[in-house]
Amino acid sequence: MGQIISGKELSKEIRAQVKERVTALKEQYQKVPHLVVILVGEDPASLSYVTAKERACLKAGMKSTLMRKEETITEEELLALITQLNNDQDVHGVLVQLPLPKHIDENKVINAIQKEKDVDGFHPLNVAAVHLGEKGILPATPKGIMTMLNSTGIELKGKSALVIGRSNIVGKPVAMLLLKEHATVTIAHSRTTNLKELALNADVLVAAVGRAHMVTADMIKDGAVVIDVGVNRLDDKLVGDVDFDGAKEKASFITPVPGGVGPMTIASLLENTIECFLMLESK
Ligand code: GUN
């Protein structure tokens, strides 16, 4: 039976490290990293995400401001707010919770955030950095996944890795990060016809498609490392993209849902906020 990579435990360790770093930064700079989160509208899922982000910041000793805006805010007003936050030296990170209402162009909004304050790593210049293998702000979920893989002590060099899912937020960047670690990377998606064959060849399998239990035990190579990014509701339970109970019998390491990748995303966001602080304050 595979070992469980607990995102819950690992993220606690990272958050404790972040807290120590914040204490040291406070000594050195007489200020702490400040994250501003903008939430437009009343979506309950988005509200619960941003509340969790805010709580984590405060617990780590950082400053956090949640700016709630009406659903009717215009694109122009939102862009003006971002410009104001870009120019505010007391702000180190700006996160606009997605999705935004349909009348606002998300790309325009993401483009407007100063790249050194882009804690999400969504700005095209940060996206480019990941693809060029250069230094930049990594998106939080892929960063958390790489931290989990690292924690296993397994060397990725020369391993075959399959990423199922091609989103800009998870699939594409995680594939690039695995490539940087010298894995041989395949990206599969909803139109892939030979998924089982590809999966059975994978030493590392990252499932990020958003379909409950689509990866079953018969698709897992013996001893594979399985990272489950999916969060799906099935019969009123939260489940991943991987059929955990079956897959854990084949995997060497596997992440659970919940308590796996999810908590790592917030821990990585805190790390990114520190990175942004350092880029801005040590200029
Ligand atoms: N909506 C869902 N996930 C995310 C995220 O990681 N960042 C932002 N800004 N919005 C999201």
Side-chain angles (χ1 to χ4, degrees), residues 13-35 55-64 92 267 269-278 281:
E13 285 171 30
I14 293 171
R15 284 164 65 159
Q17 284 164 15
V18 165
K19 193 172 178 178
E20 276 181 26
R21 288 177 71 194
V22 171
T23 307
L25 291 174
K26 195 173 177 181
E27 283 270 302
Q28 193 178 346
Y29 294 92
Q30 280 75 54
K31 56 171 131 176
V32 295
H34 178 196
L35 174 67
R55 250 206 325 257
C57 269
L58 296 175
K59 271 182 84 173
M62 294 186 193
K63 192 170 160 187
S64 166
H92 305 98
L269 173 69
L270 298 181
E271 290 183 314
N272 280 354
T273 308
I274 290 189
E275 264 190 62
C276 289
F277 176 93
L278 288 172
E281 294 294 336

Side-chain angles (χ1 to χ4, degrees), residues 37-38 46 49-50 53 94-99 110 119-120 122 139-141 169 265 269:
V37 177
I38 304 172
S46 290
Y49 291 141
V50 299
K53 290 171 187 177
V94 177
L95 185 153
V96 181
Q97 187 67 20
L98 304 176
I110 290 166
V119 283
D120 264 326
F122 291 172
T141 302
I169 296 181
T265 298
L269 173 69

